[in-house]
Amino acid sequence: MTGIVLRDVTKDFGDVRVLKTLNLEIEPGEFLVFLGPSGCGKTTTMRIIAGLERASAGEILVDGVNVNALPARERDMAMVFQNYGLYPHMTVAENIGYPLRLRKVPPADRARQVREAAEQVHLDPYLERRPRELSGGQRQRVALARAIVRRPTVFLMDEPLSNLDAKLRVRMRAELHRLHHDLGITTVYVTHDQIEAITLATRVAVMNDGRVVQLGTPEEIYNDPAEQFVASFVGTPEINLIEGHLSDGVFEGNDIRLEGFDTADEARVRLGIRPHLLEVCDPAAGVAHGQVYSAEYGGDTTYVTVSMGTKLLTVLAPPQQTFEVDSTVGLAMRSADCFLFDARTGSRIRERRAS
Ligand SMILES: Nc1ncnc2c1ncn2[C@@H]1O[C@H](COP(=O)(O)OP(=O)(O)O)[C@@H](O)[C@H]1O
Ligand SMILES: [Mg+2]
């Protein structure tokens, strides 16, 4: 199993610095996901790891060896992209076996390895078809099988599921999970989809504007975000953010007063609370107040929007609770469930109040 280290990696395109001093260790055998909005530098980072792009500065180490000057074809990494890259005139079997043919693997061995890889992604009934006779999900699986037969030291995947419909994406996610479990090959995966990231990753590197802003397990990223950007980017529906100030352990804003914080006083803070940790209650029992703006039935949950001043908050409520539009309601929440962010910088406020 192969480990990869990025040390002080920067990348400039012309005079634009798109990667700003990346430092990251990808552990042998892990499934590391780069997650971030479009344009933050995910693909560029992956291309540098693959050797398709040179870093402007810094080092890329593979198993401790500097590979900066090593061309892509000598890095033994297999890539899977969003647009499959299949040869349309070849059958599924020929597409999968292509890397083996390049390596001059004898036909009988090749056929066996192709069959094994095809079985691993449930393509064995389709070996004689051409790509145009396959669905999007099947094509993506051909691309995967072609990567598998190579037995590479590293899988690199750039938004491989983006072209699939929602249902197929969920299915393929499970397949990728299983594949990583079975093969144990170090995998670097790029996506802007936070659900994909937290479901697949052993660790997530959240990127914004050319930097890794947080590296952690999916649980750490979700439950202990380093900054407001991470808290907002991860989690659906999106976390609620409420402006206010903090003094003597009390958060106060328009229509909200919540006690129980042990962080230092701050003039301007933003409180973050996830929709499933908010509760709509009787106005007398609430620490915050607002009006029901809408309530949408969602099967096992009701999505309630509550207006608080000009702000709309999202609450996930149990399906048996009923709501009357425009009625005044209370909101209950616990300080322990809230995150506090510096309203100017977005950084997490953690330091304790002097007692
Ligand atoms: N070959 C290139 N020439 C100039 N700018 C580029 C090139 N490739 C990427 N960029 C720019 O670098 C930034 C990061 O791009 P990219 O790594 O593709 O982001 P992501 O994959 O996160 O969407 C973007 O602003 C993009 O426009
Ligand atoms: Mg990209």
Side-chain angles (χ1 to χ4, degrees), residues 11-14 16-19 34-47 53 158-159 190-192 207 209-210:
K11 178 66 184 175
D12 302 325
F13 284 116
V16 182
R17 176 147 298 182
V18 298
L19 295 182
F34 284 102
L35 170 69
S38 176
C40 72
K42 305 181 297 294
T43 294
T44 303
T45 305
M46 171 145 299
R47 288 173 58 83
E53 199 80 71
D158 191 350
E159 312 248 6
V190 161
T191 182
H192 66 276
M207 287 188 76
D209 194 21

Side-chain angles (χ1 to χ4, degrees), residues 2-11 19 21-26 34 43-72 74-75 77 153-154 156 186 188:
T2 297
I4 301 168
V5 175
L6 304 183
R7 191 175 287 162
D8 294 328
V9 169
T10 64
K11 178 66 184 175
L19 295 182
T21 324
L22 286 191
N23 277 291
L24 187 74
E25 292 194 16
I26 302 169
F34 284 102
T43 294
T44 303
T45 305
M46 171 145 299
R47 288 173 58 83
I48 288 173
I49 294 172
L52 296 169
E53 199 80 71
R54 287 290 285 267
S56 303
E59 283 190 292
I60 296 89
L61 308 176
V62 175
D63 284 338
V65 177
N66 181 313
V67 297
N68 283 36
L70 202 64
E74 287 170 38
R75 291 199 188 184
M77 300 179 180
T153 54
V154 178
L156 301 177
T186 307
V188 184

Side-chain angles (χ1 to χ4, degrees), residues 201-214:
T202 48
R203 289 192 305 162
V204 181
V206 184
M207 287 188 76
N208 188 21
D209 194 21
R211 295 175 211 279
V212 172
V213 292
Q214 187 169 3

Side-chain angles (χ1 to χ4, degrees), residues 204-232:
V204 181
V206 184
M207 287 188 76
N208 188 21
D209 194 21
R211 295 175 211 279
V212 172
V213 292
Q214 187 169 3
L215 173 67
T217 63
E219 293 82 0
E220 285 163 351
I221 296 291
Y222 182 79
N223 292 318
D224 195 14
E227 51 181 81
Q228 186 189 312
F229 173 81
V230 177
S232 295

Side-chain angles (χ1 to χ4, degrees), residues 12 20 62 72 88 90 94 127 140 163 197 199 202 207 229 231 253 260 281 287 289 304 323 325-326 338:
D12 302 325
K20 299 162 183 166
V62 175
M90 293 186 192
E94 287 164 347
L127 284 172
Q140 190 53 277
N163 280 351
T199 51
T202 48
M207 287 188 76
F229 173 81
C281 62
V287 296
H289 300 91
V304 190
F323 302 93
V325 170
D326 285 338
C338 299

